[in-house]
Amino acid sequence: MKGTNGMDSSNGTNGRRLLRSSRSRPAAAVALASAALLAALLPSLGQPRDTSPPSGSAGRTAGCDERTGTAACSLYGPAARIGNGTVRTYSTYEGGVPQALGISLTAPALTGLPTPPTDGKHCYDADADGSRDPVHECVGGHSRELALPAAPPVSAGPGLPFQWALFNWNPYGHNPHGRYDVPHFDVHFYLVPEEVRTGIRTGSCALLIACDQLAAAAKPVPDAYLPAGYPASSPQTAEGAMGAHLDSRPPSTGTLSGQTLIYGAYAGELVFIEPMLTKAFLERQRTVPGHRTCEPVPQPAAWRTPGWYPTRYCTAYRPDRGDYTVSLTDFVPSAGARPLVAAAP
């Protein structure tokens, strides 16, 4: 979730159709079909990725292959530069069952982080004055779009439902003020293809979302698929290039000082799970006992898509690898459910 202060009906319809299709086909097929369908309609995502390997022992971790069988093993995605280090995704498996899905941030990455409010990827001239204020007319902080590791050769069940990850650094935080305006990281694990996110345009409504997409962003998530303790929708937190943010923190909790969990929604569907944590909290993991802090992931009564879903999320420092991690853990299988049929636009 980022923000300051828009759904063209055709794009909204495309987004809902894409969401429905992504619930009924395997993740790989969805990604291919989505790319073909939307290549002529949606812009590409951001900057090219830096695939150079990160420094430290994390770069030498043995991967999962046919020889590891069902033994414990790790997989890593390509690295992207951030600060003086790198960030990349990783996953761990044991007995073919996912144990963790997260991002690995090398320790040097916490130094030399960008200081401008945003990287300027998602801005809108909301006051029509001919310029774009980076504080009030841009969202998303500094972002890195990250590919997930490939599934291991040996895995149990239907696999992970996640399709890609988005890492955001917010040097001054974002709205709502008094809650999230503190330097922090947002780590989005997406349940839908990149094209869905790209199709949510910036505009002058709510948190810089296109006004003709606000209704789709605010469409309630049905009770059966709504995680415990979260609102069904929140138009005020609908953001360009994101969708609505579902927040369970009571207003009385004040400014974030640790970590919290946000769900993202669009067109009545959950589209991402987002651990949010302050930079100071991440750095503290180097000194706390065990170097790890975990909290529950509130669950819905049912998940729409079959797969392994996390029941905890953790922020950690790994002294033996010299990196920080933000991960989803303690996975349980879900048989999934039939997607709901979206209402006619």
Side-chain angles (χ1 to χ4, degrees), residues 6-33:
M7 182 172 186
D8 139 275
S9 61
S10 63
N11 279 349
T13 302
N14 287 338
R16 290 193 294 271
R17 288 173 180 162
L18 183 54
L19 284 165
R20 292 199 302 273
S21 68
S22 70
R23 300 297 180 183
S24 59
R25 291 178 287 173
V30 170
L32 290 172

PDB file of all heavy atoms in Angstrom, residues 6-33:
ATOM      1  N   GLY A   6      -8.199   5.902 -10.006  1.00  0.00           N
ATOM      2  CA  GLY A   6      -8.651   5.629 -10.493  1.00  0.00           C
ATOM      3  C   GLY A   6      -9.342   4.681 -11.397  1.00  0.00           C
ATOM      4  O   GLY A   6      -8.999   3.988 -11.468  1.00  0.00           O
ATOM      5  N   MET A   7     -11.949   3.614 -13.407  1.00  0.00           N
ATOM      6  CA  MET A   7     -11.942   2.310 -14.081  1.00  0.00           C
ATOM      7  C   MET A   7     -12.664   2.625 -15.316  1.00  0.00           C
ATOM      8  O   MET A   7     -13.809   2.905 -15.364  1.00  0.00           O
ATOM      9  CB  MET A   7     -12.630   1.326 -13.126  1.00  0.00           C
ATOM     10  CG  MET A   7     -12.661  -0.041 -13.639  1.00  0.00           C
ATOM     11  SD  MET A   7     -13.246  -1.000 -12.316  1.00  0.00           S
ATOM     12  CE  MET A   7     -13.082  -2.430 -12.927  1.00  0.00           C
ATOM     13  N   ASP A   8     -12.063   2.744 -16.306  1.00  0.00           N
ATOM     14  CA  ASP A   8     -12.725   2.772 -17.586  1.00  0.00           C
ATOM     15  C   ASP A   8     -13.427   1.435 -17.730  1.00  0.00           C
ATOM     16  O   ASP A   8     -12.900   0.420 -17.363  1.00  0.00           O
ATOM     17  CB  ASP A   8     -11.647   3.078 -18.636  1.00  0.00           C
ATOM     18  CG  ASP A   8     -11.757   2.308 -19.893  1.00  0.00           C
ATOM     19  OD1 ASP A   8     -11.275   1.209 -19.971  1.00  0.00           O
ATOM     20  OD2 ASP A   8     -12.298   2.862 -20.827  1.00  0.00           O
ATOM     21  N   SER A   9     -14.704   1.473 -18.120  1.00  0.00           N
ATOM     22  CA  SER A   9     -15.503   0.261 -18.061  1.00  0.00           C
ATOM     23  C   SER A   9     -14.927  -0.858 -18.885  1.00  0.00           C
ATOM     24  O   SER A   9     -15.020  -2.023 -18.515  1.00  0.00           O
ATOM     25  CB  SER A   9     -16.946   0.549 -18.500  1.00  0.00           C
ATOM     26  OG  SER A   9     -16.966   1.009 -19.836  1.00  0.00           O
ATOM     27  N   SER A  10     -14.301  -0.537 -20.021  1.00  0.00           N
ATOM     28  CA  SER A  10     -13.737  -1.612 -20.838  1.00  0.00           C
ATOM     29  C   SER A  10     -12.565  -2.250 -20.142  1.00  0.00           C
ATOM     30  O   SER A  10     -12.435  -3.466 -20.110  1.00  0.00           O
ATOM     31  CB  SER A  10     -13.313  -1.067 -22.202  1.00  0.00           C
ATOM     32  OG  SER A  10     -12.293  -0.103 -22.072  1.00  0.00           O
ATOM     33  N   ASN A  11     -11.669  -1.432 -19.554  1.00  0.00           N
ATOM     34  CA  ASN A  11     -10.537  -2.015 -18.833  1.00  0.00           C
ATOM     35  C   ASN A  11     -10.990  -2.749 -17.606  1.00  0.00           C
ATOM     36  O   ASN A  11     -10.416  -3.752 -17.211  1.00  0.00           O
ATOM     37  CB  ASN A  11      -9.540  -0.910 -18.429  1.00  0.00           C
ATOM     38  CG  ASN A  11      -8.642  -0.539 -19.587  1.00  0.00           C
ATOM     39  OD1 ASN A  11      -8.634  -1.234 -20.595  1.00  0.00           O
ATOM     40  ND2 ASN A  11      -7.891   0.548 -19.447  1.00  0.00           N
ATOM     41  N   GLY A  12     -12.027  -2.247 -16.920  1.00  0.00           N
ATOM     42  CA  GLY A  12     -12.540  -2.934 -15.744  1.00  0.00           C
ATOM     43  C   GLY A  12     -13.079  -4.297 -16.107  1.00  0.00           C
ATOM     44  O   GLY A  12     -12.885  -5.276 -15.398  1.00  0.00           O
ATOM     45  N   THR A  13     -13.809  -4.377 -17.277  1.00  0.00           N
ATOM     46  CA  THR A  13     -14.323  -5.669 -17.717  1.00  0.00           C
ATOM     47  C   THR A  13     -13.193  -6.621 -18.026  1.00  0.00           C
ATOM     48  O   THR A  13     -13.213  -7.788 -17.643  1.00  0.00           O
ATOM     49  CB  THR A  13     -15.208  -5.484 -18.962  1.00  0.00           C
ATOM     50  OG1 THR A  13     -16.268  -4.590 -18.640  1.00  0.00           O
ATOM     51  CG2 THR A  13     -15.765  -6.820 -19.419  1.00  0.00           C
ATOM     52  N   ASN A  14     -12.152  -6.095 -18.728  1.00  0.00           N
ATOM     53  CA  ASN A  14     -10.992  -6.952 -19.014  1.00  0.00           C
ATOM     54  C   ASN A  14     -10.367  -7.460 -17.749  1.00  0.00           C
ATOM     55  O   ASN A  14      -9.976  -8.624 -17.651  1.00  0.00           O
ATOM     56  CB  ASN A  14      -9.951  -6.153 -19.821  1.00  0.00           C
ATOM     57  CG  ASN A  14     -10.390  -5.920 -21.249  1.00  0.00           C
ATOM     58  OD1 ASN A  14     -11.233  -6.653 -21.750  1.00  0.00           O
ATOM     59  ND2 ASN A  14      -9.825  -4.916 -21.893  1.00  0.00           N
ATOM     60  N   GLY A  15     -10.254  -6.559 -16.713  1.00  0.00           N
ATOM     61  CA  GLY A  15      -9.639  -6.986 -15.462  1.00  0.00           C
ATOM     62  C   GLY A  15     -10.427  -8.085 -14.795  1.00  0.00           C
ATOM     63  O   GLY A  15      -9.867  -9.052 -14.302  1.00  0.00           O
ATOM     64  N   ARG A  16     -11.787  -7.944 -14.795  1.00  0.00           N
ATOM     65  CA  ARG A  16     -12.599  -8.970 -14.133  1.00  0.00           C
ATOM     66  C   ARG A  16     -12.535 -10.284 -14.883  1.00  0.00           C
ATOM     67  O   ARG A  16     -12.480 -11.358 -14.287  1.00  0.00           O
ATOM     68  CB  ARG A  16     -14.042  -8.475 -14.028  1.00  0.00           C
ATOM     69  CG  ARG A  16     -14.204  -7.326 -13.024  1.00  0.00           C
ATOM     70  CD  ARG A  16     -15.668  -7.070 -12.719  1.00  0.00           C
ATOM     71  NE  ARG A  16     -16.387  -6.571 -13.878  1.00  0.00           N
ATOM     72  CZ  ARG A  16     -16.481  -5.295 -14.175  1.00  0.00           C
ATOM     73  NH1 ARG A  16     -15.890  -4.397 -13.435  1.00  0.00           N
ATOM     74  NH2 ARG A  16     -17.164  -4.899 -15.231  1.00  0.00           N
ATOM     75  N   ARG A  17     -12.553 -10.214 -16.254  1.00  0.00           N
ATOM     76  CA  ARG A  17     -12.443 -11.455 -17.021  1.00  0.00           C
ATOM     77  C   ARG A  17     -11.117 -12.145 -16.743  1.00  0.00           C
ATOM     78  O   ARG A  17     -11.038 -13.360 -16.595  1.00  0.00           O
ATOM     79  CB  ARG A  17     -12.547 -11.138 -18.512  1.00  0.00           C
ATOM     80  CG  ARG A  17     -13.974 -10.756 -18.940  1.00  0.00           C
ATOM     81  CD  ARG A  17     -13.969 -10.298 -20.365  1.00  0.00           C
ATOM     82  NE  ARG A  17     -15.307  -9.924 -20.810  1.00  0.00           N
ATOM     83  CZ  ARG A  17     -15.540  -9.179 -21.882  1.00  0.00           C
ATOM     84  NH1 ARG A  17     -14.529  -8.740 -22.612  1.00  0.00           N
ATOM     85  NH2 ARG A  17     -16.773  -8.873 -22.232  1.00  0.00           N
ATOM     86  N   LEU A  18     -10.065 -11.341 -16.651  1.00  0.00           N
ATOM     87  CA  LEU A  18      -8.749 -11.919 -16.404  1.00  0.00           C
ATOM     88  C   LEU A  18      -8.681 -12.541 -15.030  1.00  0.00           C
ATOM     89  O   LEU A  18      -8.120 -13.604 -14.845  1.00  0.00           O
ATOM     90  CB  LEU A  18      -7.693 -10.812 -16.540  1.00  0.00           C
ATOM     91  CG  LEU A  18      -6.232 -11.229 -16.395  1.00  0.00           C
ATOM     92  CD1 LEU A  18      -5.913 -12.358 -17.372  1.00  0.00           C
ATOM     93  CD2 LEU A  18      -5.334 -10.043 -16.642  1.00  0.00           C
ATOM     94  N   LEU A  19      -9.305 -11.884 -14.041  1.00  0.00           N
ATOM     95  CA  LEU A  19      -9.326 -12.453 -12.706  1.00  0.00           C
ATOM     96  C   LEU A  19     -10.057 -13.782 -12.686  1.00  0.00           C
ATOM     97  O   LEU A  19      -9.621 -14.742 -12.067  1.00  0.00           O
ATOM     98  CB  LEU A  19     -10.002 -11.481 -11.729  1.00  0.00           C
ATOM     99  CG  LEU A  19      -9.135 -10.284 -11.300  1.00  0.00           C
ATOM    100  CD1 LEU A  19     -10.006  -9.219 -10.656  1.00  0.00           C
ATOM    101  CD2 LEU A  19      -8.056 -10.743 -10.339  1.00  0.00           C
ATOM    102  N   ARG A  20     -11.209 -13.841 -13.408  1.00  0.00           N
ATOM    103  CA  ARG A  20     -11.959 -15.097 -13.424  1.00  0.00           C
ATOM    104  C   ARG A  20     -11.138 -16.198 -14.080  1.00  0.00           C
ATOM    105  O   ARG A  20     -11.085 -17.324 -13.599  1.00  0.00           O
ATOM    106  CB  ARG A  20     -13.279 -14.911 -14.184  1.00  0.00           C
ATOM    107  CG  ARG A  20     -14.261 -13.992 -13.450  1.00  0.00           C
ATOM    108  CD  ARG A  20     -15.668 -14.218 -13.968  1.00  0.00           C
ATOM    109  NE  ARG A  20     -15.795 -14.001 -15.400  1.00  0.00           N
ATOM    110  CZ  ARG A  20     -16.036 -12.813 -15.930  1.00  0.00           C
ATOM    111  NH1 ARG A  20     -16.119 -11.736 -15.171  1.00  0.00           N
ATOM    112  NH2 ARG A  20     -16.162 -12.688 -17.240  1.00  0.00           N
ATOM    113  N   SER A  21     -10.473 -15.857 -15.196  1.00  0.00           N
ATOM    114  CA  SER A  21      -9.710 -16.893 -15.887  1.00  0.00           C
ATOM    115  C   SER A  21      -8.544 -17.350 -15.059  1.00  0.00           C
ATOM    116  O   SER A  21      -8.171 -18.514 -15.091  1.00  0.00           O
ATOM    117  CB  SER A  21      -9.225 -16.375 -17.246  1.00  0.00           C
ATOM    118  OG  SER A  21      -8.261 -15.356 -17.080  1.00  0.00           O
ATOM    119  N   SER A  22      -7.932 -16.439 -14.267  1.00  0.00           N
ATOM    120  CA  SER A  22      -6.775 -16.823 -13.468  1.00  0.00           C
ATOM    121  C   SER A  22      -7.160 -17.744 -12.340  1.00  0.00           C
ATOM    122  O   SER A  22      -6.305 -18.395 -11.759  1.00  0.00           O
ATOM    123  CB  SER A  22      -6.093 -15.568 -12.906  1.00  0.00           C
ATOM    124  OG  SER A  22      -6.892 -14.961 -11.922  1.00  0.00           O
ATOM    125  N   ARG A  23      -8.432 -17.811 -11.973  1.00  0.00           N
ATOM    126  CA  ARG A  23      -8.871 -18.707 -10.911  1.00  0.00           C
ATOM    127  C   ARG A  23      -9.179 -20.103 -11.412  1.00  0.00           C
ATOM    128  O   ARG A  23      -9.329 -21.020 -10.636  1.00  0.00           O
ATOM    129  CB  ARG A  23     -10.140 -18.160 -10.245  1.00  0.00           C
ATOM    130  CG  ARG A  23      -9.939 -16.790  -9.617  1.00  0.00           C
ATOM    131  CD  ARG A  23      -8.929 -16.845  -8.516  1.00  0.00           C
ATOM    132  NE  ARG A  23      -8.745 -15.536  -7.930  1.00  0.00           N
ATOM    133  CZ  ARG A  23      -7.900 -15.259  -6.994  1.00  0.00           C
ATOM    134  NH1 ARG A  23      -7.112 -16.201  -6.531  1.00  0.00           N
ATOM    135  NH2 ARG A  23      -7.783 -14.046  -6.521  1.00  0.00           N
ATOM    136  N   SER A  24      -9.316 -20.258 -12.724  1.00  0.00           N
ATOM    137  CA  SER A  24      -9.779 -21.549 -13.230  1.00  0.00           C
ATOM    138  C   SER A  24      -8.733 -22.318 -14.015  1.00  0.00           C
ATOM    139  O   SER A  24      -9.006 -23.380 -14.517  1.00  0.00           O
ATOM    140  CB  SER A  24     -11.017 -21.325 -14.113  1.00  0.00           C
ATOM    141  OG  SER A  24     -10.704 -20.462 -15.185  1.00  0.00           O
ATOM    142  N   ARG A  25      -7.515 -21.757 -14.144  1.00  0.00           N
ATOM    143  CA  ARG A  25      -6.463 -22.435 -14.878  1.00  0.00           C
ATOM    144  C   ARG A  25      -5.178 -22.430 -14.074  1.00  0.00           C
ATOM    145  O   ARG A  25      -4.980 -21.585 -13.221  1.00  0.00           O
ATOM    146  CB  ARG A  25      -6.224 -21.712 -16.218  1.00  0.00           C
ATOM    147  CG  ARG A  25      -7.385 -21.871 -17.179  1.00  0.00           C
ATOM    148  CD  ARG A  25      -7.096 -21.092 -18.449  1.00  0.00           C
ATOM    149  NE  ARG A  25      -7.223 -19.666 -18.179  1.00  0.00           N
ATOM    150  CZ  ARG A  25      -6.901 -18.742 -19.061  1.00  0.00           C
ATOM    151  NH1 ARG A  25      -6.382 -19.064 -20.231  1.00  0.00           N
ATOM    152  NH2 ARG A  25      -7.054 -17.472 -18.777  1.00  0.00           N
ATOM    153  N   PRO A  26      -4.269 -23.351 -14.358  1.00  0.00           N
ATOM    154  CA  PRO A  26      -2.992 -23.354 -13.658  1.00  0.00           C
ATOM    155  C   PRO A  26      -2.260 -22.038 -13.866  1.00  0.00           C
ATOM    156  O   PRO A  26      -2.433 -21.359 -14.870  1.00  0.00           O
ATOM    157  CB  PRO A  26      -2.233 -24.528 -14.307  1.00  0.00           C
ATOM    158  CG  PRO A  26      -3.308 -25.398 -14.872  1.00  0.00           C
ATOM    159  CD  PRO A  26      -4.419 -24.472 -15.283  1.00  0.00           C
ATOM    160  N   ALA A  27      -1.407 -21.695 -12.900  1.00  0.00           N
ATOM    161  CA  ALA A  27      -0.750 -20.388 -12.910  1.00  0.00           C
ATOM    162  C   ALA A  27       0.047 -20.145 -14.179  1.00  0.00           C
ATOM    163  O   ALA A  27       0.020 -19.057 -14.757  1.00  0.00           O
ATOM    164  CB  ALA A  27       0.167 -20.270 -11.695  1.00  0.00           C
ATOM    165  N   ALA A  28       0.795 -21.142 -14.652  1.00  0.00           N
ATOM    166  CA  ALA A  28       1.625 -20.947 -15.835  1.00  0.00           C
ATOM    167  C   ALA A  28       0.770 -20.649 -17.057  1.00  0.00           C
ATOM    168  O   ALA A  28       1.069 -19.767 -17.866  1.00  0.00           O
ATOM    169  CB  ALA A  28       2.489 -22.185 -16.087  1.00  0.00           C
ATOM    170  N   ALA A  29      -0.341 -21.389 -17.217  1.00  0.00           N
ATOM    171  CA  ALA A  29      -1.221 -21.181 -18.360  1.00  0.00           C
ATOM    172  C   ALA A  29      -1.875 -19.812 -18.282  1.00  0.00           C
ATOM    173  O   ALA A  29      -2.058 -19.130 -19.286  1.00  0.00           O
ATOM    174  CB  ALA A  29      -2.295 -22.276 -18.403  1.00  0.00           C
ATOM    175  N   VAL A  30      -2.227 -19.382 -17.060  1.00  0.00           N
ATOM    176  CA  VAL A  30      -2.847 -18.081 -16.896  1.00  0.00           C
ATOM    177  C   VAL A  30      -1.904 -16.978 -17.337  1.00  0.00           C
ATOM    178  O   VAL A  30      -2.269 -16.058 -18.056  1.00  0.00           O
ATOM    179  CB  VAL A  30      -3.252 -17.868 -15.422  1.00  0.00           C
ATOM    180  CG1 VAL A  30      -3.675 -16.430 -15.184  1.00  0.00           C
ATOM    181  CG2 VAL A  30      -4.384 -18.813 -15.066  1.00  0.00           C
ATOM    182  N   ALA A  31      -0.664 -17.088 -16.915  1.00  0.00           N
ATOM    183  CA  ALA A  31       0.300 -16.045 -17.246  1.00  0.00           C
ATOM    184  C   ALA A  31       0.496 -15.938 -18.754  1.00  0.00           C
ATOM    185  O   ALA A  31       0.546 -14.843 -19.322  1.00  0.00           O
ATOM    186  CB  ALA A  31       1.635 -16.324 -16.557  1.00  0.00           C
ATOM    187  N   LEU A  32       0.590 -17.079 -19.440  1.00  0.00           N
ATOM    188  CA  LEU A  32       0.770 -17.071 -20.887  1.00  0.00           C
ATOM    189  C   LEU A  32      -0.443 -16.499 -21.594  1.00  0.00           C
ATOM    190  O   LEU A  32      -0.335 -15.669 -22.503  1.00  0.00           O
ATOM    191  CB  LEU A  32       1.046 -18.488 -21.388  1.00  0.00           C
ATOM    192  CG  LEU A  32       2.416 -19.074 -20.990  1.00  0.00           C
ATOM    193  CD1 LEU A  32       2.488 -20.540 -21.376  1.00  0.00           C
ATOM    194  CD2 LEU A  32       3.529 -18.288 -21.657  1.00  0.00           C
ATOM    195  N   ALA A  33      -1.622 -16.949 -21.185  1.00  0.00           N
ATOM    196  CA  ALA A  33      -2.850 -16.474 -21.815  1.00  0.00           C
ATOM    197  C   ALA A  33      -3.046 -14.984 -21.574  1.00  0.00           C
ATOM    198  O   ALA A  33      -3.468 -14.242 -22.456  1.00  0.00           O
ATOM    199  CB  ALA A  33      -4.049 -17.266 -21.291  1.00  0.00           C
TER     200      ALA A  33
END
